[in-house]
Amino acid sequence: MAVEMKKREHLIHTQYESEQAMLAEFEQGNYTYNQPYVKLNPYHVVPLAAVVAFKTEEPVAVTVAVKGKEEAGTISHTYEEATTHILPVLGLYADYNNTVELTLSTGEVHRFNLQTEPLHPMALKPTKIETTSAYMKDNLMFISPTGKAYCAAYDYQGECRWYLADTFVFDIKRIKNGHFLIGSERFLEKPYTTTGVVEMDMVGKIYKEFRLPGGYHHDQLEMEDGNIMILTQDFTRGTIEDLCVLVDRHTGEIIKKWDIQSVLPQEVGKSGSWTAHDWFHNNAVWYDKKTNSLSFSGRHQDVIINVDYDTCELNWILGNPDGWPEEMVEKYFFTPVGEDFEWQYEQHACLITPEGDVMCFDNGQYRAKRKEDYIKNGDNFSRGVRYKIDTDNMTIEQVWQYGKERGSEFFSPYICNVEYYADGHYLVHSGGIVMEDGKPTENLMKSAVSTQDNVTRNAITVEIKNNEVMFEMQVPSNYYRAEKMPLYHNGANLELGKGEILGTLGISEEFLTEIPDLKDEGNMVPDQYKAHFTEEVDRIVFNAEFAKGQLVMLLLEGEDKTYKYYVPTTEKTFTAICVASFQTDLKRAIQMNVMKEGVKGKFNIAVIIDDEKFQTGISVNF
């Protein structure tokens, strides 16, 4: 029996087809403000968004409002004057007959209703929300996923008013044009690398996917000129999460690279989660214009480092100096001053404040450099922390923290972030709380993906202003980061036209060793391996289950050339699981990507398993 080959269209393509159909429908009708065209979830991934469209004889501005369950919950936006109005409707309630109000600048008002589907099980409801509408104003709290949950946004009542119905992951960051950046929903490599970063609007339309040969993980940011800083890696050298690149906004090409391997030794300053494969584990990038420098957060060396933007030369290292070479300690590390000072451990989400201070989420995992001093999770704490640094005298002072006083209930051994709004006004998101039998788990890698009833997950998001808690939300899952922002912005909230797939996933590395001639009896791949393929616009994805260490090769057999690819079946050791959305409990499950770039022609796909060759019955044409 032939192996199954599915085709998966890129979301950019399916969205464009849907948009064209929507516009054709709209043009065929005579839609007015009191009889408008309405399309719910027009781009397939935001069920609580819609588009309303109509024409007016004269240019008018239009205010679109989703009426709240109480007046303070109303979300509205005023669009500029036009005669053709194709307008996003944002902030709908789930499982509710929403009232939407259109108000023209000429005074006419029309109301209509939009019934939405129940909230998806992966868009979770908060178990606690404490804040006020006066504090939140028109902002929602966005939480981006790490586990089996969707990116979602909640109002002051804890009502979900927006979510992404697909596995877009890692940080969600709004950029200058009002769109936002988030990790692609397309999985690339274990444990959680995606194909790249997508630029999307709040209606769910993707404008660009920025693909990278090393994929994307953890963090990204937009520079002043619009180009995008993205964390990635070079899979060919056997390490991960130690490379940062600058990507051209218009072409997707890599303009510049910062290689942390050229900055730090790999075998020193090891955190409790260090491995040779994932030696630095960079989970953040921050650009400071005042010093023209980049800061990176190395979880697996318990350090935040700062390098020159132009040269990548090391400026300073922030962290416990135990285990580092003496010459580096003397030159790059800070000496603590003041009272109540504590170092950060396995931190996330570093940033530089306008005053030049350093903030991060101090996860506190192990909270020591020597194994004999490690602290158990049940006795540990996590916190947001702010350090004042003096780079002339190389001193450091702890000037603020929040979270230690909450003890183990606030302890997150992984993920999380802080945000700086103003001096004394911060967000602290403890998003990786994992409990086993009511106590912090001592086995994160197992518990983070466990489905057992005795394992619970929680995310606590807190905002503090002048040492007063102004906002607290708890959601029963793990979430990578939290960001507060409004749904609408002052620019164009929807732009029509086809999105772009930019950059490249690179060329798949071939297996160069000659393969002995194997007898080919035309047998199909046995069902026991559960082999199947998916064809996408830029790659063929091979999924199957093999025993650890089994010899497997994938062949593209053409008339003039055969491409040979080694399929890794040996497990890598991962001590970080920052996104569990793509994880499987099947230790034997593999995913192998064959990129279309660099391959041309028609090929039959065959698989070598140990010393036997099997056919798949699949032909592909690149």
Side-chain angles (χ1 to χ4, degrees), residues 236-256:
T236 66
R237 62 188 190 181
T239 60
I240 58 172
E241 302 182 17
D242 52 9
L243 194 65
C244 177
V245 296
L246 183 66
V247 172
D248 187 286
R249 177 61 164 277
H250 304 292
T251 67
E253 294 179 0
I254 294 174
I255 303 169
K256 187 174 174 62

Side-chain angles (χ1 to χ4, degrees), residues 369-565:
K369 301 295 288 184
R370 300 180 180 90
K371 287 185 179 180
E372 60 269 24
D373 298 327
Y374 285 174
I375 296 176
K376 287 189 175 182
N377 293 347
D379 301 322
N380 211 338
F381 63 90
S382 297
R383 61 187 183 145
V385 62
R386 180 175 176 178
Y387 297 113
K388 182 179 182 62
I389 60 172
D390 181 339
T391 55
D392 292 326
N393 297 304
M394 293 304 289
T395 58
I396 183 170
E397 179 183 5
Q398 181 178 304
V399 294
W400 177 86
Q401 75 86 37
Y402 175 89
K404 180 179 180 179
E405 66 280 6
R406 298 187 64 158
S408 62
E409 66 129 0
F410 202 67
F411 175 68
S412 286
Y414 76 135
I415 59 177
C416 311
N417 72 301
V418 294
E419 294 290 330
Y420 172 98
Y421 300 127
D423 192 23
H425 189 189
Y426 317 115
L427 174 146
V428 181
H429 171 71
S430 186
I433 301 166
V434 185
M435 299 284 185
E436 190 171 352
D437 296 321
K439 299 179 181 178
T441 181
E442 299 295 338
N443 189 343
L444 174 63
M445 294 299 293
K446 178 182 175 182
S447 298
V449 295
S450 173
T451 57
Q452 295 180 359
D453 291 340
N454 68 327
V455 175
T456 60
R457 285 168 279 277
N458 196 20
I460 303 177
T461 307
V462 179
E463 284 197 8
I464 305 103
K465 188 174 184 179
N466 299 326
N467 295 318
E468 181 181 354
V469 174
M470 305 298 294
F471 174 98
E472 179 165 334
M473 181 176 73
Q474 298 192 23
V475 185
S477 186
N478 286 166
Y479 290 88
Y480 178 64
R481 288 187 182 181
E483 303 279 349
K484 184 174 71 174
M485 56 186 173
L487 284 171
Y488 291 103
H489 66 96
N490 292 326
N493 288 273
L494 173 62
E495 301 169 59
L496 302 175
K498 191 172 184 178
E500 299 177 281
I501 305 172
L502 302 176
T504 176
L505 294 178
I507 297 175
S508 294
E509 186 177 9
E510 288 188 73
F511 188 75
L512 300 179
T513 304
E514 286 298 319
I515 303 172
D517 289 333
L518 299 173
K519 189 175 180 180
D520 184 359
E521 297 181 352
N523 294 329
M524 293 294 172
V525 176
D527 292 344
Q528 72 188 69
Y529 297 115
K530 299 182 181 179
H532 59 278
F533 292 82
T534 304
E535 183 177 8
E536 298 182 4
V537 64
D538 48 13
R539 62 177 176 168
I540 298 290
V541 182
F542 175 44
N543 291 95
E545 295 178 19
F546 297 109
K548 178 181 177 181
Q550 200 166 7
L551 178 62
V552 182
M553 296 194 66
L554 189 66
L555 306 180
L556 298 184
E557 299 182 314
E559 287 186 7
D560 302 320
K561 179 176 173 60
T562 294
Y563 291 88
K564 302 165 290 186
Y565 304 100

Side-chain angles (χ1 to χ4, degrees), residues 566-608:
Y566 173 70
V567 180
T569 59
T570 302
E571 292 182 66
K572 289 187 174 73
T573 299
F574 295 106
T575 53
I577 190 167
C578 296
V579 170
S581 300
F582 301 115
Q583 297 300 315
T584 173
D585 292 331
L586 296 170
K587 291 185 178 180
R588 298 172 59 211
I590 64 98
Q591 174 172 313
M592 164 78 179
N593 301 286
V594 177
M595 309 312 176
K596 290 184 176 181
E597 186 168 338
V599 181
K600 288 188 178 180
K602 185 176 182 180
F603 304 93
N604 295 320
I605 300 180
V607 180
I608 293 175

Side-chain angles (χ1 to χ4, degrees), residues 180-221:
F180 63 86
L181 301 175
I182 195 169
S184 164
E185 85 289 8
R186 298 200 294 151
F187 172 65
L188 183 64
E189 291 283 351
K190 287 183 179 181
Y192 41 65
T193 300
T194 74
T195 55
V197 172
V198 296
E199 178 183 339
M200 184 185 290
D201 66 22
M202 288 295 175
V203 196
K205 179 173 178 175
I206 298 176
Y207 294 89
K208 295 177 181 180
E209 181 186 0
F210 300 96
R211 301 171 299 174
L212 294 166
Y216 155 79
H217 65 88
H218 284 99
D219 205 2
Q220 73 287 343
L221 63 88

